[in-house]
């Protein structure tokens, strides 16, 4: 997840997934969500639904790491907040626009020695996707499936960091990202 950093270590090991594979998985997910049987996506009987749904979420998001010969760069777990706007396109189906932000730290964890914080770092995620409701008629709680594509921007607060006495330049970077979700909604009132 943090391959965007401009650190150059010998024998760097990173997991690489081809962009073609990510796009294929994302498109198949969106297809499955949109092709799900209409019986699962019916609006609760007699329920008045808003034209658009707006939601705010606060929680925690896992980090990631990059392995290097001398240790690992880690983005730790930290609090996150997200906003989403769901615009219905047909019964049980909505177009979703979302933004998520996580403010955390970038750490250096050497194979031998003590972990140290290098800089603060924010992760900003912008996505567009579909949300497929799967609620039986009359349900007050509406379970859903969600799939989306977009961009993630990694933004370290420092432009250089010092690791074991050496200074390295780091830059922010934008990368392609996908998301899959399963959850539930319940309306107030």
């Amino acid at each position: 997840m943090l391959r965007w950093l401009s650190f150059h270590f010998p024998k760097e090991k990173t997991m690489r997934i081809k962009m073609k594979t990510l796009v294929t998985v994302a498109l198949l997910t969106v297809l499955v969500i949109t092709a799900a049987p209409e019986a699962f996506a019916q609006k609760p009987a007699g329920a008045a639904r808003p034209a658009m749904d707006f939601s705010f979420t606060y929680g925690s998001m896992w980090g990631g790491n990059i392995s290097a010969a001398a240790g690992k760069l880690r983005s730790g777990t930290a609090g996150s907040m997200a906003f989403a706007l769901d615009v219905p396109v047909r019964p049980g189906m909505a177009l979703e626009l979302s933004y998520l932000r996580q403010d955390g730290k970038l750490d250096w964890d050497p194979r031998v020695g003590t972990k140290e914080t290098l800089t603060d770092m924010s992760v900003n995620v912008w996505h567009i996707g579909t949300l497929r409701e799967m609620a039986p008629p009359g349900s007050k709680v509406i379970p859903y499936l969600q799939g989306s594509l977009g961009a993630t921007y990694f933004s370290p607060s420092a432009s250089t960091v010092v690791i074991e006495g050496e200074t390295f330049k780091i830059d922010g970077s934008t990368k392609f990202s996908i998301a899959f979700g399963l959850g539930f909604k319940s309306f107030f009132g």
Side-chain angles (χ1 to χ4, degrees):
M1 183 179 200
L2 297 172
R3 289 191 314 235
W4 57 271
L5 295 172
S6 58
F7 291 91
H8 300 284
F9 294 104
K11 299 179 184 175
E12 178 178 353
K13 296 178 184 176
T14 59
M15 183 172 139
R16 298 187 187 267
I17 299 174
K18 292 184 178 181
M19 184 67 72
K20 183 177 177 182
T21 303
L22 290 174
V23 171
T24 302
V25 169
L27 291 175
L28 286 174
T29 301
V30 170
L31 180 64
V32 167
I33 291 171
T34 58
E38 285 296 323
F40 290 104
Q42 296 175 5
K43 190 161 75 169
R49 296 287 303 273
M52 291 186 280
D53 297 336
F54 177 77
S55 60
F56 169 77
T57 307
Y58 182 82
S60 185
M61 189 167 81
W62 291 321
N65 66 67
I66 299 173
S67 293
K72 290 183 181 184
L73 284 169
R74 294 184 185 270
S75 167
T77 300
S80 64
M81 65 176 183
F83 301 93
L85 177 66
D86 296 338
V87 180
V89 293
R90 65 179 194 196
M93 173 67 69
L95 174 70
E96 183 173 78
L97 304 170
S98 63
Y99 169 74
L100 178 140
R101 180 178 175 100
Q102 176 194 35
D103 290 315
K105 307 277 184 197
L106 180 64
D107 298 324
W108 171 246
D109 191 0
R111 297 203 189 280
V112 177
T114 307
K115 181 173 82 169
E116 66 177 287
T117 298
L118 300 175
T119 184
D120 292 333
M121 184 174 69
S122 67
V123 179
N124 299 275
V125 182
W126 295 273
H127 274 211
I128 184 167
T130 59
L131 185 133
R132 179 68 163 182
E133 295 177 352
M134 302 186 357
S139 175
K140 293 187 188 233
V141 176
I142 303 167
Y144 66 85
L145 291 172
Q146 181 263 346
S148 63
L149 302 169
T152 299
Y153 178 65
F154 300 93
S155 179
S157 61
S159 60
T160 60
V161 294
V162 177
I163 299 175
E164 298 177 0
E166 280 192 67
T167 301
F168 295 91
K169 181 180 187 278
I170 59 173
D171 299 311
S173 182
T174 303
K175 295 294 181 183
F176 170 80
S177 56
I178 61 175
F180 306 100
L182 175 66
F184 67 90
K185 295 190 228 183
S186 182
F187 294 95
F188 295 105

